[in-house]
Amino acid sequence: MKKIRVLGIDPGLAHTGFGVVDAAGGTLRMVSYGVIETASSEDHSTRLLAIYNRLLAVIDEFRPDEAEMEALYFARNTSSALAVAEAKGVITLCLAQQAIPLTMYTPNQIKTAVTGTSSADKETVEQYVKLLLNLKTEPKPDHAADALAGAITHIHSSLPGRL
């Protein structure tokens, strides 16, 4: 049976969530998840480099076949939106250098794919991720849960005909 490993990414400057999910046949299996954190007390460029280096370590450890990242959407705070956009650029570069195909989904696409509704709150998304991956507890923190949800979305949206 063919297996595909997907790396889901919830981008951010302070917190970048990641989740690794295997798909084989109709089965999903959580491999790993976590959060790459950077401190606001660090120099901006140092924080971006830390995201790059830690994501590269995740890639080296888990060897994903494909990646998913949450698309940037409208934000009220322009400065935080720019910081997220910079983090997304670093993440995109890291994946491109490793020749890992990247697909992006909006938050509403992810919520709909995982829960069936675009109006789901964070707790509902976490509960569905727990159910879909057959976990004992909801994945925490929410950045990691969002990354797992993104990986699940990619599997459901892009891979059915290839498994």
Side-chain angles (χ1 to χ4, degrees):
M1 182 178 344
K2 185 175 180 179
K3 176 192 80 165
I4 296 180
R5 179 165 286 176
V6 175
L7 170 62
I9 302 168
D10 181 41
L13 183 61
H15 304 97
T16 292
F18 69 88
V20 182
V21 177
D22 284 348
T27 305
L28 300 177
R29 184 178 72 84
M30 188 279 299
V31 176
S32 182
Y33 65 88
V35 175
I36 298 167
E37 296 184 10
T38 66
S40 60
S41 59
E42 294 178 312
D43 178 66
H44 187 75
S45 59
T46 302
R47 294 174 80 182
L48 292 171
L49 182 60
I51 292 168
Y52 177 92
N53 286 332
R54 292 177 195 158
L55 181 60
L56 188 57
V58 168
I59 291 168
D60 286 345
E61 180 175 355
F62 298 108
R63 301 284 181 205
D65 300 302
E66 299 183 19
E68 170 283 335
M69 182 164 49
E70 188 173 291
L72 191 58
Y73 57 95
F74 174 77
R76 290 185 192 139
N77 184 335
T78 306
S79 62
S80 66
L82 290 174
V84 172
E86 288 178 319
K88 284 175 57 78
V90 166
I91 292 163
T92 302
L93 173 66
C94 185
L95 292 167
Q97 287 180 328
Q98 300 303 309
I100 299 170
L102 172 64
T103 305
M104 293 194 203
Y105 299 93
T106 66
N108 282 349
Q109 287 175 303
I110 294 170
K111 288 190 246 181
T112 301
V114 172
T115 70
T117 177
S118 63
S119 62
D121 60 16
K122 290 215 175 268
E123 292 77 23
T124 303
V125 171
E126 290 170 6
Q127 290 169 354
Y128 273 84
V129 168
K130 173 189 166 190
L131 290 170
L132 291 168
L133 295 177
N134 198 27
L135 303 175
K136 291 185 181 1
T137 61
E138 286 86 5
K140 299 283 183 186
D142 60 350
H143 299 288
D146 289 347
L148 288 168
I152 292 167
T153 299
H154 183 65
I155 291 164
H156 287 165
S157 301
S158 301
L159 304 182
R162 298 191 283 151
L163 293 176

